[in-house]
Amino acid sequence: MDKRMTDIMKLARIELIIIPIFIFFKAIRPKVLDSAAPEIFKITLLSLPNFFEAVIGTLTLTGVGLLINDRLSQAQQLKPKFIYIIAVVLAACYVIAQELNLITLRANGTTDPFDVLFSIIGLAVGYATILYVKPIIQY
């Protein structure tokens, strides 16, 4: 592995932890929804995909942004913190637009305030993760 990509690989490893958790919660949804579980538990379970989508989107867009930035000349390159902000803004545009049905990539087109809330929390967690890792492409 290219040592310059160490931080990008950190983001990828975080995503590889999140994706199976996302799949697990998606898999148990039908059983939980049919159960006598408390309503708050059901709401949380239904909104978790929005949370995970926002986190994964933020991490992915940060990695892609850093890779694109690396291809630019030194004079054109952006500071990593600016790329982090751009990644969160782009992820926010996508997840919120999808939730408000401005983009229709899902079967059920319902707008749920809890889904929007979980998306916003996911964006914040994604951004906090980026600020913690502070990914860069090292020279």
Side-chain angles (χ1 to χ4, degrees), residues 49-124:
N50 297 79
F51 169 83
F52 291 122
E53 182 178 62
V55 173
I56 291 168
T58 300
L59 300 181
T60 300
L61 288 170
T62 300
V64 170
L66 290 169
L67 290 171
I68 291 170
N69 196 48
D70 186 55
R71 300 283 181 193
L72 300 174
S73 70
Q74 286 282 33
Q76 294 175 316
Q77 287 186 353
L78 303 172
K79 293 189 181 292
K81 287 183 181 182
F82 190 65
I83 293 170
Y84 306 162
I85 292 168
I86 292 171
V88 174
V89 168
L90 290 175
C93 288
Y94 173 76
V95 296
I96 301 300
Q98 183 178 338
E99 189 52 42
L100 297 176
N101 295 317
L102 302 173
I103 302 172
T104 54
L105 298 177
R106 56 191 175 158
N108 65 341
T110 60
T111 299
D112 181 351
F114 293 108
D115 288 352
V116 174
L117 175 64
F118 274 70
S119 294
I120 292 168
I121 294 169
L123 291 164

Side-chain angles (χ1 to χ4, degrees), residues 124-136:
V125 168
Y127 187 59
T129 303
I130 296 301
L131 291 179
Y132 178 76
V133 174
K134 295 183 182 106
I136 60 169

